[in-house]
Amino acid sequence: MYDVVIIGCGVVGASAAYELARYKLRVAVLEAAADIAAGTTKANSAIIHAGYDPEPGTLMARLNVEGNRLTGEICEKLQVPFKRVGSLVVAFSPEQLPTLQTLYDRGCKNGVPGLRLLSGEEARAMEPGLSEEVCGALLAPSAGIIDPWGFAIAMAETAVRGGVEVRRDCPVTGIEAAEEGFVLHTPQGDVAARFVLNAAGVDADRVHEMLEPNDWETLPSRGEYYLLDKSEHDRVSRVIFQCPGPEGKGVLVAPTIHGNLICGPNAQGVEDRLDLGNTADGMAEVRAKAARSVPGVEWRQNIRNFAGLRANTTRSDFIIEESKAYPGFIDLAGIKSPGLSSAPAIAKMAAEMLKADGLALEPDPDFVDKREHIVFKELSAEEKNELIRRDPRYGRVVCRCETITEGEIVAALHSPIPPRSINGVKRRCNAGMGRCQGGFCGPRVQEIIARELGIDQAEVLLEQAGSTILTGRTKTGGNTNV
């Protein structure tokens, strides 16, 4: 029997695993997908919010500000890319200026450091690319940009090194209360646990309903994005938000941690929880709204469109609570924005709830709270030469757009949670993330995956089950691409 089972390994589940790994516990994470960090965690704005937007007194307000601080600490220890570039919320008319004042007042109550109200001229002095229509702005220096899937993967890998077990392709299909806790039914067999953390993202309501009737429901909201080439990265140096409205924080324009420019998202309610499609109307909406903030964006430099789902619910706040009928079952649900920013703080809150329920949190003196992660292109010439001397695979560049070497790909494939797909490699070392989006390096990455995992190239998938790349062989024995 496990002490704790975590359902879901997005950034919230990974944060919980990372937090619990520091104690002498038996912990398992059950992830329904073929890889971790492959849901909302991989498709969002990649922003660490400062914490001025949530209503004071809410879980969002407290956990956002605490999570912002913890994120910086964790990223430094685990070598995850993170920069506090700051953010600006811009107003386009005098009628919107009171909204900026409201956000400033909220932020002060929430404990957000360094907030300042700016005139339009002051904002444009900081960001010359802003529209002349901007008449005021709120500056939040503590906001940042991050690699969201890298953040989750780093925490999950560190947890695995600390003894946590991660099972992929392991959806929970049923939950029963037992004498000493719970029994979770999965295709890989039943799993017994004293405590359960439900971090199943947009499906958290359905997981809850496997145990008991629910009084809240997930209302998935799809957000669509543009990702532009590195040539657009310097269009702005901070995250540019628009004054928030009923649909959320509006369309943003921001540099990414990988050197691109991101614009989005819009907000559209969807019934299908697998609906990650882009629409012509949605893309037009994002372009129009982003251009209002930063009119100079060169849309011809777009290299990818994508969409993600927010776990909106029938409640306005995060849902972090224990079942009254079944103590020990704790929901970490409704983790919409600022969920990424709040994840580490949510994990600490969950640990305290487990402790209050009687789970002994005895520190594990052997837990190693750090990670070494090689990014070849960031090394000095001397460091590169020494690394290549030790392992010549680091001297072979596979992904030219991002300068990712064979050594980095091989290291990812032998990591604590090794990827099994081309996109899994992409999330771990950035191969295929550049301008050609894997058009050049994809076949080579596929070949390396097959070689290192000891499988046929036809077995290598793009992402989930069914995303086949190769379907047969030519008469000469070579693989046939489709």
Side-chain angles (χ1 to χ4, degrees), residues 11 14-22 36 69-82 146-162 344 367-375 378 416-417 427-428:
V11 71
S15 296
Y18 171 71
E19 177 64 25
L20 295 177
R22 63 187 69 249
I36 66 172
R69 177 183 61 80
L70 291 171
T71 295
E73 296 175 4
I74 294 170
C75 288
E76 184 174 356
K77 288 187 288 189
L78 304 188
Q79 296 187 356
V80 177
F82 173 57
I146 194 171
D147 174 350
W149 49 87
F151 186 39
I153 289 168
M155 290 189 288
E157 286 184 350
T158 305
V160 168
R161 289 192 180 99
F367 177 66
V368 179
D369 195 7
K370 65 179 181 179
R371 182 188 73 143
E372 293 185 3
H373 183 64
I374 294 174
V375 181
E378 295 180 359
I417 310 175
R427 284 190 288 274
R428 284 161 177 80

Side-chain angles (χ1 to χ4, degrees), residues 459-474:
E459 298 177 55
V460 178
L461 300 177
L462 179 65
E463 182 71 273
Q464 304 285 9
S467 58
T468 303
I469 301 169
L470 301 178
T471 60
R473 295 184 179 276
T474 64

Side-chain angles (χ1 to χ4, degrees), residues 46 56 84 135 144 216 225 251 274 286 318 322 335 381 397 458 461 472:
R84 293 193 185 280
C135 63
W216 53 272
Y225 292 88
V251 169
L274 299 177
V286 170
F318 292 156
E322 184 174 24
I335 312 300
V397 173
L461 300 177

